[in-house]
Amino acid sequence: MKFDTPAGTNPIDRMKVVGKPLDRIDGPAKTTGMAPYAYEHHREAPNAAYGYIVGAAIAKGRISSMNVADAKAAPGVLAVVTASEAGKLGKGKYNTAKLLGGPEIDHYHQAIAVVVAETFEQARAAAGLVRVSYARATGRFDLEEALKTAPLASGSQDTPPKPDRVGDFEQAFAAAPVKLDARYTTPDHSHAMMEPFASIAAWEGDRLNVWTSNQMIDWGRTDLATTLGMPKEKIRFMSPYVGGGFGGKLFLRTDAVMAALGAKAAGRPVKVAMSRPFLMNNTTHRPATRQRIRIGANRDGKITAIAHESGSGDLPNGRPETAVTQTRLLYAGANRLTSLRLAVLDLPEGNSMRAPGEAPGMMALEVAMDEMAETLGLDPVEFRIRNDTQVDPAKPERRFSQRNLVRCLREGADRFGWTRRNAQPAQVSDGRWLVGMGVAAAFRNHVSLPSGARVRLGQDGIVTVETDMTDIGTGSYTIIAQTAAEMMGLPIERVVVKLGDSSFPVSSGSGGQFGAGSSTSGVYAACVKLRDAVAQRLGYSSADAVFDGGKVRSGNRSTDLAEAARAGELVVEDTMEWGDLDKTYQQSTFGAHFVEVGVDRFTGMIRIRRMLAVAEAGRILNPKSARSQMIGAMTMGVGGALMEELAVDKRFGFFVNHDLAGYEVPVHADIPHQEVIFLEEVDPTVSPMKAKGIGELGLCGVGAAVANAVYNATGVRVRDYPVTLDKHLDRLPAVA
Amino acid sequence: MPNSPEISISRRGVLAGSAASAVIAATTAGAAQRAAPATLAPLPAPAPQPMPVSLTVNGKVQRLSLDPRTTLLDALREHLHLTGTKKGCDHGQCGACTVMVEGVRINSCLSLAVMHEGDTITTIEGLGTPDKLHPMQAAFVKHDGYQCGYCTPGQICSAVAVLDEIKRGVPSHVSVSLTDHPQATNIEMRERMSGNICRCGAYSNIAEAMAEIAGENA
Ligand code: FES
Ligand code: FES
């Protein structure tokens, strides 16, 4: 099915199952420990041996020699595979650095060997016996330094690396009566998902089965085939449950490659999990940014000029962190400039992490907006409202398909008690706490990817959906079941959903908040076909057949849905493809974050007291799981605002705090009750589901709302994330 | 090794180093490099001999013969195939591996299996099953106290144990008094749950699930 005209009324609009806050259908399995994650397929791959990865101890240079003899001779060891034993390997399309290094080393903790043994303990001990000597080369590890000579970069392959301009920014900025010119920094972030990267590989002749933890089954399968130099049809790639990804598991990583190579060498299934202290330098991270924002406005608060420039670094042939994207679309203003610079760094690979671009970009932009509002003497909610735009500022003929940012801000302000905020910072206290409130807009574009599904109507009347879509905690199992149930007129209990298997049709996968809208649309398309097939079997005209209450009705005839499969299971398959409505309309999601913090006037310690988000993302397919996406993102935003930072060792080129003790993320004590409100909307331009993504929207802007609240509490502006107490302690209001 | 950076680390540099662990890691990397001669063989360690251990897991006696280096976590996951207990870090930093030993929660990754001879262990599988959920499991489902589900068994085991700790009067860092009986307040529960990281950020919902169960028990 191709979606190229805005959706009219369709069965989803009945909202008997879709749109209901149903419990997740995978809940009982997850809460009882019955849901199998990557490393847990002992039934399917019995007798697996254990692989343990050895990582490079230098950031850049060469291995001059490697002694694996001791490791090979260690008790229980079945095989040791290094680059020289592995032979020629390809590099996946989505990988920047090679997944098995040697003799050249591209980054610290790049995998250089896998040791396979009978037990985990033996493999780990033997891995410690691999002796490596290196010739270290000089690496580039200092972003600040490298950006001094870094060239301009482009956020996508289709656009040249040059600044994006509308009007004449320089002239308008020079002429603006009120101005801001400020610099902001965000550090490297780690996804730190709770399930470490893990894979089990089992060969059957020249066929390979891989159970892994990956958000994008088809990308992973294709890149594994490229890496191993084999046809992808011979690989079955499976991730029925993914213990968190946040972008870190968008791509093939070395666990799958090492498991496949190890299994081949050992002649039996091999399971490999990355150790926590290894995975933070071995895998990808969100790159640090250095951002400069300039805003010029008239005294009435109308923006006349806005510029956002950002620099980041990555390995050679890497990608920039596109932190300026939202600034092209979020606020009005006739004169605009955005640009990216990309420095070459020899740190581990930078890549997508939840809301790549917008997450760090909004952390800066929405603080700049707060600063500008203060300079103008305007309330920051009002300042944003005054600069709302209903069109793409670069192409005024192109409207937003739907944009209720103003409503999000107004409703949020209302619910949060924003009028109680004192615009003058450092005025409100509650015992030892200085109390402040902050606001930020939330913004993230909607994206659709082609997505396929197979649906079966069994003789028992059960509808089974099969798609290689993944559920990374997002609720895919449940919203897909809701979609099929709604389409086929069944209660959700009569739908079975099977995900994360390359033997199912290729879906959008999970990422870029495209998963929910795309994958349910694929299921919608397949269900339209199934409805036709059912009608045909029953001799109904599919145009007027009504699927409801487990029955199919047409005129005054009515039949049990199961009846259509009496003569044999019905199986159909379809893929949703997309026209160019996203060119006609700018399709985005919006929201507003409100945060109240307390700052200890004596120690500078920051605590979150209240959080509220109001969000607009078209139809909300399941308000319960969508709300969880929001609160989870808000929690991650608190992490980015207050604690998360990969500390770079600029001499040796690695992230120092590479475990969960050193890389701090929010814990229970950091997060109070969180409130989320969804605007009741549908967006017929995006898909027949009329739903947009929500998983990243919740992260965009929340960090800035926290930082703005801290400023409102203390009167000290910190522009370098994370906002930790050492950065404002010496400037806090005097304690009487 | 001319110009190799580790030579420039002075003692002053070490003392002034903003991140002590950076210095340690760096010098270790350097040392590995200097110790490069690949001929220098390490002393062969004697192969560890398996040791017998018997555990009562979820009411069932399990007799195992284990490499003494095996953690309780790996004994459960890899030997008994009770994979509900998760490994998030293997270093006591995340709580995903929380189980109850003799009714008290521990990080099973920080404990060797052979230390638990004769111990009674309850894992997530011992609390309830999909058809017969433990009330805390049901509350997690109802309040959506999870997303990816990977931290969830640890959260649930901790949640059950936390309510029991409060009931038994064990104080915490945020308890107002060390002698008065603590109450299952939001802040008391959040403090005690803080060793269980949820990167999906389900905390607010977990707190609600726990409050519901705490309220029922009160
Ligand atoms: S796995 Fe034990 S605390 Fe993380
Ligand atoms: S549910 Fe994913 S880490 Fe907690």
Side-chain angles (χ1 to χ4, degrees):
Chain A
M1 181 179 286
K2 185 156 186 183
F3 185 76
D4 49 13
T5 45
T9 304
N10 66 47
I12 298 296
D13 295 321
R14 298 185 291 186
M15 301 267 281
K16 288 189 172 172
V17 193
V18 167
K20 295 274 179 288
L22 300 180
D23 291 346
R24 292 176 199 240
I25 62 171
D26 48 342
K30 280 181 173 172
T31 54
T32 56
M34 293 296 147
Y37 295 81
Y39 202 67
E40 301 168 0
H41 294 271
H42 49 85
R43 273 189 209 90
E44 295 95 321
N47 193 31
Y50 290 79
Y52 199 92
I53 305 173
V54 180
I58 61 165
K60 189 158 178 63
R62 280 178 70 83
I63 294 173
S64 35
S65 73
M66 221 169 160
N67 179 347
V68 297
D70 300 327
K72 276 191 171 150
V77 171
L78 302 167
V80 179
V81 183
T82 64
S84 55
E85 267 118 57
K88 195 172 141 44
L89 293 179
K91 184 157 76 68
K93 174 178 164 198
Y94 294 101
N95 296 127
T96 306
K98 287 189 297 181
L99 297 180
L100 176 59
E104 299 301 325
I105 298 300
D106 304 308
H107 65 86
Y108 185 78
H109 272 178
Q110 185 173 31
I112 54 170
V114 61
V115 178
V116 181
E118 288 288 346
T119 71
F120 172 69
E121 293 74 24
Q122 290 169 335
R124 183 179 54 190
L129 300 177
V130 174
R131 308 282 145 179
V132 188
S133 62
Y134 300 96
R136 179 158 32 208
T138 311
R140 296 148 290 187
F141 310 125
D142 186 339
L143 176 61
E144 212 80 50
E145 198 50 43
L147 277 176
K148 287 180 187 157
T149 53
L152 285 163
S154 160
S156 80
Q157 268 139 8
D158 331 320
T159 47
K162 64 177 178 57
D164 188 79
R165 289 178 175 278
V166 178
D168 185 338
F169 168 77
E170 281 79 4
Q171 200 181 25
F173 185 68
V178 185
K179 292 192 229 289
L180 169 92
D181 183 350
R183 289 170 196 270
Y184 305 87
T185 70
T186 64
D188 298 285
H189 287 154
S190 182
H191 308 82
M193 71 298 278
M194 291 306 301
E195 182 201 21
F197 295 79
S199 294
I200 303 178
W203 291 88
E204 283 171 35
D206 64 348
R207 306 189 72 87
L208 175 63
N209 292 322
V210 180
W211 293 266
T212 187
S213 188
N214 192 295
Q215 301 172 219
M216 305 290 292
I217 296 297
D218 191 56
W219 290 6
R221 180 197 197 197
T222 307
D223 273 357
L224 182 58
T226 306
T227 306
L228 298 176
M230 64 187 282
K232 81 174 204 182
E233 292 67 35
K234 300 217 169 198
I235 298 177
R236 186 166 170 200
F237 202 77
M238 292 161 279
S239 293
Y241 290 94
V242 179
F246 313 113
K249 293 176 180 167
L250 282 170
F251 314 114
L252 178 75
R253 299 304 314 173
T254 198
D255 53 300
V257 179
M258 293 303 108
L261 294 174
K264 181 149 254 182
R268 61 189 251 210
V270 166
K271 58 199 298 193
V272 176
M274 292 194 202
S275 78
R276 181 61 65 174
F278 170 72
L279 72 83
M280 285 197 181
N281 279 292
N282 175 269
T283 63
T284 64
H285 63 278
R286 185 201 303 289
T289 64
R290 298 291 179 268
Q291 304 180 41
R292 180 186 188 192
I293 295 178
R294 285 172 286 170
I295 304 176
N298 290 331
R299 293 198 195 284
D300 64 0
K302 287 264 194 227
I303 294 173
T304 53
I306 185 163
H308 193 167
E309 297 154 283
S310 175
S312 59
D314 200 359
L315 289 167
N317 304 313
R319 306 187 314 171
E321 179 69 20
T322 54
V324 303
T325 315
Q326 72 286 326
T327 309
R328 299 194 183 126
L329 291 165
L330 188 48
Y331 297 114
N335 303 285
R336 322 173 69 90
L337 163 66
T338 55
S339 75
L340 294 171
R341 280 185 192 279
L342 177 61
V344 174
L345 292 179
D346 299 299
L347 288 170
E349 177 174 334
N351 220 316
S352 299
M353 177 169 151
R354 198 175 198 172
E358 277 86 344
M362 293 288 280
M363 285 166 85
L365 176 64
E366 288 299 287
V367 171
M369 288 297 285
D370 200 64
E371 298 198 50
M372 192 65 186
E374 188 180 34
T375 310
L376 285 158
L378 275 179
D379 181 275
V381 170
E382 179 56 29
F383 178 47
R384 288 178 173 87
I385 290 172
R386 274 191 205 176
N387 289 289
D388 186 45
T389 173
Q390 292 295 317
V391 298
D392 175 349
K395 299 188 196 88
E397 68 286 0
R398 193 166 165 258
R399 297 188 61 79
F400 283 94
S401 62
Q402 189 183 61
R403 172 167 168 139
N404 290 302
L405 174 61
V406 170
R407 243 181 88 198
C408 292
L409 286 161
R410 289 228 162 95
E411 286 202 29
D414 217 38
R415 279 291 275 268
F416 200 68
W418 184 251
T419 49
R420 294 201 304 272
R421 172 181 178 267
N422 191 326
Q424 177 98 9
Q427 300 301 310
V428 182
S429 53
D430 172 10
R432 65 187 290 140
W433 300 97
L434 297 162
V435 179
M437 290 190 210
V439 66
F443 172 84
R444 175 86 173 146
N445 285 335
H446 170 78
V447 176
S448 300
L449 293 188
S451 198
R454 187 184 299 140
V455 283
R456 303 170 183 274
L457 174 64
Q459 288 177 312
D460 50 5
I462 298 282
V463 168
T464 303
V465 184
E466 297 169 348
T467 162
D468 85 355
M469 180 61 187
T470 48
D471 189 328
I472 63 172
T474 38
S476 313
Y477 275 106
T478 309
I479 57 173
I480 284 173
Q482 287 174 279
T483 303
E486 193 78 78
M487 289 300 288
M488 302 313 296
L490 291 173
I492 194 167
E493 294 74 27
R494 290 185 53 195
V495 178
V496 171
V497 179
K498 297 183 179 173
L499 300 181
D501 185 334
S502 63
S503 62
F504 302 150
V506 174
S507 72
S508 62
S510 302
Q513 76 172 17
F514 50 67
S518 303
S519 69
T520 53
S521 295
V523 173
Y524 173 95
C527 285
V528 168
K529 260 198 182 169
L530 184 59
R531 288 163 60 109
D532 287 347
V534 166
Q536 207 180 8
R537 275 258 177 107
L538 298 176
Y540 291 180
S541 110
S542 55
D544 57 26
V546 176
F547 291 71
D548 194 23
K551 297 203 179 305
V552 194
R553 284 196 314 272
S554 177
N556 50 15
R557 293 168 63 202
S558 171
T559 317
D560 277 348
L561 179 65
E563 201 57 41
R566 189 75 66 202
E569 186 188 48
L570 282 173
V571 188
V572 299
E573 192 176 316
D574 202 7
T575 294
M576 182 59 86
E577 276 153 359
W578 307 97
D580 58 3
L581 285 170
D582 62 334
K583 306 248 165 11
T584 318
Y585 300 98
Q586 175 57 44
Q587 300 166 335
S588 307
T589 61
F590 299 89
H593 288 288
F594 292 84
V595 175
E596 182 180 286
V597 302
V599 179
D600 188 306
R601 65 169 77 244
F602 302 105
T603 68
M605 179 174 75
I606 303 164
R607 309 295 299 162
I608 306 285
R609 292 160 65 106
R610 293 193 294 138
M611 295 185 89
L612 163 72
V614 184
E616 175 202 25
R619 174 175 281 146
I620 300 301
L621 301 172
N622 180 329
K624 189 179 272 194
S625 56
R627 179 178 171 280
S628 287
Q629 284 288 287
M630 289 294 296
I631 66 167
M634 288 152 75
T635 301
M636 192 173 275
V638 169
L642 299 181
M643 60 196 86
E644 291 184 37
E645 173 174 25
L646 285 167
V648 180
D649 185 315
K650 291 179 190 166
R651 299 159 307 168
F652 295 98
F654 69 105
F655 299 125
V656 179
N657 48 343
H658 50 85
D659 62 24
L660 291 172
Y663 186 82
E664 294 184 2
V665 300
V667 299
H668 280 272
D670 298 317
I671 302 297
H673 174 76
Q674 294 163 316
E675 216 181 318
V676 179
I677 297 167
F678 294 114
L679 298 190
E680 285 193 17
E681 293 290 343
V682 290
D683 188 339
T685 74
V686 294
S687 76
M689 303 302 294
K690 307 175 186 174
K692 292 182 276 200
I694 196 91
E696 297 185 333
L697 177 67
L699 180 57
C700 298
V702 63
V706 173
N708 293 338
V710 172
Y711 171 75
N712 183 242
T714 63
V716 182
R717 185 67 77 176
V718 177
R719 298 185 184 84
D720 301 304
Y721 287 102
V723 184
T724 46
L725 60 86
D726 53 299
K727 292 176 186 162
H728 66 197
L729 186 59
D730 58 340
R731 289 178 288 159
L732 288 184
V735 180
Chain B
M1 218 165 318
N3 305 327
S4 82
E6 71 267 25
I7 288 170
S8 63
I9 297 176
S10 62
R11 178 146 58 149
R12 186 189 159 85
V14 169
L15 293 173
S18 59
S21 54
V23 174
I24 292 162
T27 46
T28 321
Q33 199 173 8
R34 278 193 302 276
T39 48
L40 215 150
L43 288 176
Q49 294 309 307
M51 283 177 69
V53 62
S54 137
L55 316 163
T56 303
V57 183
N58 302 330
K60 220 165 122 192
V61 179
Q62 302 279 3
R63 284 177 225 290
L64 297 167
S65 170
L66 295 174
D67 185 317
R69 297 168 295 187
T70 309
T71 60
L72 177 59
L73 173 60
D74 282 331
L76 294 168
R77 282 172 62 81
E78 304 304 322
H79 296 268
L80 298 176
H81 291 159
L82 291 169
T83 52
T85 308
K86 303 303 182 196
K87 185 187 281 191
C89 69
D90 219 10
H91 289 71
Q93 302 168 344
C94 77
C97 62
T98 305
V99 299
M100 285 174 269
V101 176
E102 302 293 332
V104 175
R105 59 184 173 144
I106 66 162
N107 286 341
S108 62
C109 70
L110 287 186
S111 198
L112 296 173
V114 293
M115 293 157 62
H116 291 283
E117 176 61 38
D119 279 353
T120 298
I121 293 153
T122 305
T123 70
I124 190 72
E125 292 92 343
L127 288 180
T129 60
D131 300 328
K132 202 167 177 292
L133 296 176
H134 180 280
M136 188 64 82
Q137 291 168 324
F140 268 61
V141 174
K142 175 175 163 196
H143 292 278
D144 216 37
Y146 58 90
Q147 291 171 43
C148 76
Y150 199 77
C151 75
T152 311
Q155 301 279 359
I156 292 173
C157 285
S158 250
V160 170
V162 158
L163 295 189
D164 185 58
E165 282 161 26
I166 293 174
K167 201 146 106 212
R168 285 188 285 118
V170 180
S172 83
H173 174 66
V174 297
S175 302
V176 185
S177 135
L178 289 181
T179 47
D180 292 348
H181 205 97
Q183 301 298 311
T185 59
N186 175 270
I187 192 69
E188 188 70 68
M189 291 191 286
R190 278 165 52 200
E191 167 64 23
R192 290 168 194 260
M193 290 297 290
S194 287
N196 287 85
I197 296 175
C198 176
R199 183 56 160 164
C200 294
Y203 299 130
S204 180
N205 289 353
I206 294 173
E208 271 156 45
M210 288 181 70
E212 178 175 317
I213 302 300
E216 279 169 11
N217 293 346

